[in-house]
Amino acid sequence: MTNAPSGAGDRFAVYRPFLELLGKSEGTDKGGGYNETLGYGIMLDGKVTKGKGSSVYLCGMTLDQVDKLQTRMLKDPGNKRLNSSAIGRYQIIRTTLRAIREQLPATYPGSRLFDAACQDEIACYLLGQRGVDKWLAGRLSTDTLIRNLAMEWASIPKPDGKGHYAGQRAGVTVAEVKAALAEVERRHKAGQQPVIVEKPVEVPKPVVPEK
């Protein structure tokens, strides 16, 4: 999904500007980033403890362990108001994570760690699902892409600046979303190999001596 050259340090360099925006919009970069749990740690180890319980290290957990954690989160009576299992830098919920694992079992086995690389990869997969590659190819409008992204991440505004979900405020402005996407597009174009069209070489006709 990326045009980053083989061997580049960041596999997701093309999409990195939008990933950074998500860290801001979701608010996770103000906290634990890739290890951030729901509500800045009000829910620790799957229970609402308001920061007084046992913490968890998400990046060191397997996907199976993460699933069990999210299940505990949803079952906890203290989570009735939020009713969320969002975790990690990109606040991935259990329904989404399970769907991805069902679609790509070889890529996301239960033993795989939910580390930074895995979370970046999942976020980029979701970007693809929401049409970023079609947009980069010119087959999807910017406004349509932004509407799609607002459905995936509640902190991303629709083109009119409002959140997609009732009661959910956007964490960034539309201008910030468009700026991040513009940088994604710039990096995408910079990573594409130029098409070299070879000009035919004119071969001089042999001179035939007059008889």
Side-chain angles (χ1 to χ4, degrees):
M1 276 192 63
T2 176
N3 289 305
S6 178
D10 184 359
R11 290 173 56 205
F12 310 108
V14 170
Y15 305 102
R16 185 62 58 188
F18 195 80
L19 297 182
E20 295 300 307
L21 184 73
L22 284 174
K24 177 181 178 180
S25 67
E26 292 293 328
T28 49
D29 282 356
K30 293 191 295 185
Y34 292 99
N35 288 300
E36 188 57 71
T37 52
L38 182 66
Y40 298 106
I42 63 166
M43 175 166 267
L44 297 176
D45 198 25
K47 297 180 181 179
V48 175
T49 61
K50 297 183 180 179
K52 297 181 181 179
S54 301
S55 185
V56 293
Y57 180 59
L58 292 175
C59 287
M61 297 176 70
T62 66
L63 291 175
D64 278 348
Q65 291 172 327
V66 165
D67 187 272
K68 291 178 181 178
L69 172 66
Q70 291 180 305
T71 299
R72 291 200 301 274
M73 291 170 69
L74 292 170
K75 287 182 177 180
D76 184 56
N79 192 19
K80 283 185 177 180
R81 183 179 67 83
L82 294 175
N83 190 32
S84 176
S85 57
I87 58 171
R89 190 186 193 202
Y90 310 112
Q91 293 293 277
I92 306 298
I93 61 174
R94 188 182 68 172
T95 302
T96 299
L97 195 51
R98 282 184 173 181
I100 293 174
R101 291 183 61 192
E102 184 176 343
Q103 293 163 8
L104 301 168
T107 304
Y108 301 105
S111 58
R112 182 171 176 178
L113 290 178
F114 190 62
D115 55 16
C118 181
Q119 292 182 42
D120 283 350
E121 189 175 293
I122 287 171
C124 287
Y125 176 79
L126 293 174
L127 283 174
Q129 293 289 90
R130 292 298 180 175
V132 72
D133 295 319
K134 289 182 179 179
W135 172 73
L136 287 170
R139 303 198 307 271
L140 196 70
S141 71
T142 299
D143 280 357
T144 299
L145 175 62
I146 292 175
R147 275 191 290 271
N148 291 348
L149 295 174
M151 286 189 281
E152 188 66 54
W153 287 283
S155 63
I156 297 296
K158 296 183 295 182
D160 63 4
K162 299 177 182 178
H164 178 79
Y165 299 98
Q168 176 69 44
R169 294 177 59 187
V172 290
T173 66
V174 176
E176 287 177 293
V177 175
K178 288 184 175 181
L181 290 175
E183 178 60 17
V184 168
E185 183 179 33
R186 187 195 69 77
R187 294 186 182 196
H188 169 75
K189 289 180 178 178
Q192 290 180 320
Q193 295 295 323
V195 177
I196 301 174
V197 180
E198 294 186 2
K199 294 179 66 176
V201 178
E202 293 185 4
V203 179
K205 294 181 180 179
V207 178
V208 180
E210 294 181 359
K211 291 183 180 180

